[in-house]
Amino acid sequence: MADTQTVETEPDKKQRSVRVVLLALMITMMLAMLDNMIVGTAMPTIVGELGGLEHLSWVVTAYTLATAAATPLWGKLGDMYGRKGVFMSSIVLFLIGSALSGMAQDMGQLIGFRAVQGLGAGGLMVGVMAIIGDLIPPRERGKYQGMMAGVMALAMIGGPLVGGTITDNWGWRWSFYINLPLGVVSLGLISAVLHLPKKRAQARIDYLGAALLTVGITSIVLVTTWGGTEYAWTSARIMELIGIGVAALVGFVFWQTKATEPVVPLHIFRSRNFTLMSIIGFITGFVMFGATLFLPLYQQSVQGASATNSGLLLLPMLGAMLVTSMVAGRITTNSGRYYVFPVLGSALMIVGLYLLSTMDTGTSRLTSGVFMAVVGLGMGCLMQITMLVAQNSVEMKDMGVASSSTTLFRTLGSSFGVAIMGALFNHRVQDVMAERGGALGSKVTEQSAQLDAKSLEKLPDAVREAYQVAVSAGTHSAFLLGAIVAMVALVAAVFVKEVPLKGAGPQKSAEDAAPAPLVEV
């Protein structure tokens, strides 16, 4: 009788363990996504205290570079040495970087400590996705898409609000210290409940491959960050970086065919679905981060919205993304079918971006909100499905590199999106200002095509109206480019092959009703 009771309660115990682990993973995911948004709000205050305005961009760039470069390495280390220990190490490194950043005494220290924080951050999102990939079969993973999309939406909406509140009431240093209690809770839960098999790889780490990939990624991110802002696109410095980046990546690809334990095993790209999901992930990152940059700018400059609630301005897009992601996840879990979502998502993204490109100075907030919702519906179909299908396309031993590669492509897509759409936007704004605002208009935007609310209030009415027309023209060009680029995602989605998801779906028989032992307790 006692044995029967143990058998009956064991599945419930395992399910509770899974839920606790997922809670810890979502907290960690929140840490990864919130950080830049909170810090971005605090930057004016940080510069006011530490000085070093000329190095301001490096506070973000150092973090982004370190995150992008470290992402593939964390994924590979997890595959080689076990997911749990590597993931916890990345959290600890992130928390050390956060604590040091909060204690920084000058801008140089802050930039260096942000790089340390970024190295840890590279393992946070990858670790979350890879552990979910280890614990939950792909067929069941759709249930949790809404949870992940919800965390993402909450971070984007709440980040600026939380950052502003913390900075105003506690000081900018708490923008970094706030990570510590959350990280400690996450570490405690993971340490206590998550039990994954330990591994010990015999092969040595591919240091040469890691170095070549780091140099290549760093060069690409610097080109997209500096091009058209710090340096002209045709300048010698940008050309040098492009040359170094191309040479390093070509060398990396060649070396991966020779290495005993390659950082990114090239055989994973033999899977058509994995390659297509990498392309779609790149395009999604390109579009999403471009949209989140220019939509608040348009609404503040043209529609007169408050900058304080900038995260709330994206609510129609993020809300639609959350709802669609939950629906797509449920349908995928119940039916095991997913082909329709990449195709539908890409098509909706194209339509939504085209609609956003039609906005002008007379577009109402309701209309722009509807257009944003269409883009959000498209992104909701794509955000988690790309990771799900990519993980389903590789063997379990490559789960880490599959997760990190997909994350890396999305990160690189966002870098390119912000850079290319930003360059097009700035060029268009400056042209229209020169045409409509005359000499004063050119002078107003000669340093930057993006003006804050205080700068706008000081402008003469004629110049302000010219600037609003210019911003409308700039967003038109940026979103039209986004719609064209999104067509690549649609073409890729059409060629996706619907491979059955691994793991059983919902079973009707009582014998099979017990869940798989996902977590060792």
Side-chain angles (χ1 to χ4, degrees):
M1 187 71 179
D3 290 342
T4 304
Q5 189 174 1
T6 302
V7 171
E8 287 175 350
T9 58
E10 192 66 18
D12 292 334
K13 189 178 178 184
K14 293 180 188 301
Q15 285 295 82
R16 281 197 303 274
S17 299
V18 171
R19 285 195 288 269
V20 174
V21 170
L22 283 172
L23 173 63
L25 294 179
M26 292 306 108
I27 292 173
T28 311
M29 188 175 172
M30 179 75 78
L31 283 176
M33 299 207 63
L34 266 179
D35 189 75
N36 257 340
M37 295 184 177
I38 290 178
V39 172
T41 310
M43 281 314 299
T45 308
I46 293 173
V47 172
E49 182 173 325
L50 298 183
L53 179 62
E54 66 276 14
H55 304 303
L56 173 64
S57 63
W58 273 104
V59 176
V60 176
T61 303
Y63 180 90
T64 305
L65 278 176
T67 301
T71 293
L73 306 183
W74 285 114
K76 185 61 182 178
L77 289 172
D79 286 341
M80 292 176 67
Y81 298 108
R83 206 81 64 207
K84 179 178 177 178
V86 170
F87 182 53
M88 291 179 70
S89 299
S90 72
I91 297 174
V92 170
L93 185 58
F94 178 81
L95 295 181
I96 290 172
S98 298
L100 291 173
S101 296
M103 293 186 285
Q105 297 302 307
D106 57 50
M107 193 60 82
Q109 287 183 11
L110 182 60
I111 290 168
F113 296 150
R114 283 284 283 167
V116 173
Q117 195 184 17
L119 289 174
L124 299 186
M125 192 67 76
V126 172
V128 169
M129 295 302 178
I131 290 172
I132 288 175
D134 277 349
L135 294 181
I136 303 168
R139 181 70 181 267
E140 302 296 322
R141 217 170 291 157
K143 293 178 184 176
Y144 305 99
Q145 279 185 213
M147 190 186 300
M148 289 184 277
V151 169
M152 191 173 297
L154 185 62
M156 288 186 173
I157 294 170
L161 295 174
V162 172
T165 302
I166 289 174
T167 304
D168 291 342
N169 294 286
W170 297 347
W172 66 266
R173 295 182 187 277
W174 277 96
S175 296
F176 299 104
Y177 293 151
I178 194 68
N179 293 329
L180 302 181
L182 291 173
V184 168
V185 170
S186 179
L187 278 173
L189 292 174
I190 290 167
S191 176
V193 182
L194 178 63
H195 301 282
L196 294 172
K198 293 183 179 179
K199 303 177 186 177
R200 182 67 193 176
Q202 299 301 314
R204 296 180 61 188
I205 297 171
D206 178 16
Y207 292 106
L208 178 58
L212 288 169
L213 182 60
T214 300
V215 171
I217 291 172
T218 300
S219 300
I220 289 173
V221 174
L222 284 177
V223 166
T224 57
T225 303
W226 284 348
T229 53
E230 298 287 327
Y231 302 96
W233 284 104
T234 54
S235 67
R237 179 61 55 87
I238 296 298
M239 291 297 110
E240 287 169 4
L241 285 170
I242 290 174
I244 292 170
V246 170
L249 292 177
V250 169
F252 170 76
V253 171
F254 174 76
W255 178 247
Q256 294 306 278
T257 63
K258 308 291 184 185
T260 306
E261 193 67 51
V263 177
V264 180
L266 299 182
H267 66 79
I268 63 177
F269 291 98
R270 292 176 192 158
S271 165
R272 183 172 77 182
N273 275 4
F274 182 84
T275 302
L276 292 173
M277 286 302 129
S278 298
I279 293 170
I280 293 172
F282 180 92
I283 302 299
T284 305
F286 188 105
V287 168
M288 180 175 180
F289 285 89
T292 54
L293 176 66
F294 295 111
L295 280 170
L297 180 64
Y298 168 83
Q299 290 182 305
Q300 290 170 38
S301 301
V302 180
Q303 295 182 328
S306 166
T308 307
N309 299 321
S310 56
L312 297 175
L313 301 176
L314 299 173
L315 193 56
M317 183 175 76
L318 298 174
M321 185 179 78
L322 173 60
V323 171
T324 314
S325 186
M326 292 175 65
V327 172
R330 282 292 173 184
I331 292 174
T332 302
T333 296
N334 293 333
S335 67
R337 307 185 73 85
Y338 54 80
Y339 175 82
V340 66
F341 295 114
V343 175
L344 179 62
S346 301
L348 284 170
M349 205 157 59
I350 293 169
V351 172
L353 287 165
Y354 173 75
L355 291 173
L356 288 176
S357 76
T358 64
M359 295 189 303
D360 55 28
T361 55
T363 304
S364 68
R365 290 192 191 182
L366 175 62
T367 303
S368 60
V370 171
F371 295 168
M372 281 192 280
V374 176
V375 176
L377 291 173
M379 289 196 296
C381 291
L382 296 173
M383 287 300 293
Q384 304 303 331
I385 289 289
T386 51
M387 181 66 74
L388 173 65
V389 177
Q391 290 179 335
N392 191 59
S393 303
V394 301
E395 298 177 35
M396 284 296 291
K397 67 182 180 68
D398 292 322
M399 186 67 70
V401 292
S403 303
S404 63
S405 297
T406 307
T407 303
L408 177 62
F409 277 108
R410 189 177 294 172
T411 302
L412 292 178
S414 67
S415 295
F416 276 89
V418 169
I420 296 173
M421 292 172 78
L424 188 62
F425 172 86
N426 291 340
H427 180 72
R428 186 73 181 122
V429 168
Q430 287 166 353
D431 280 353
V432 174
M433 284 297 284
E435 178 184 327
R436 284 179 163 262
L440 180 58
S442 297
K443 188 176 181 181
V444 165
T445 57
E446 66 183 5
Q447 294 298 322
S448 173
Q450 300 178 27
L451 303 180
D452 57 27
K454 289 182 180 178
S455 300
L456 274 176
E457 288 174 4
K458 295 176 183 176
L459 295 177
D461 291 344
V463 178
R464 190 186 308 115
E465 289 174 10
Y467 182 70
Q468 291 174 337
V469 173
V471 168
S472 296
T475 51
H476 166 78
S477 299
F479 288 127
L480 195 59
L481 172 67
I484 294 169
V485 171
M487 290 179 184
V488 177
L490 180 59
V491 173
V494 169
F495 288 98
V496 170
K497 183 180 179 183
E498 194 164 60
V499 179
L501 294 174
K502 298 166 188 172
Q507 301 293 329
K508 293 183 180 179
S509 65
E511 186 178 58
D512 295 330
L518 302 179
V519 180
E520 297 174 15
V521 188

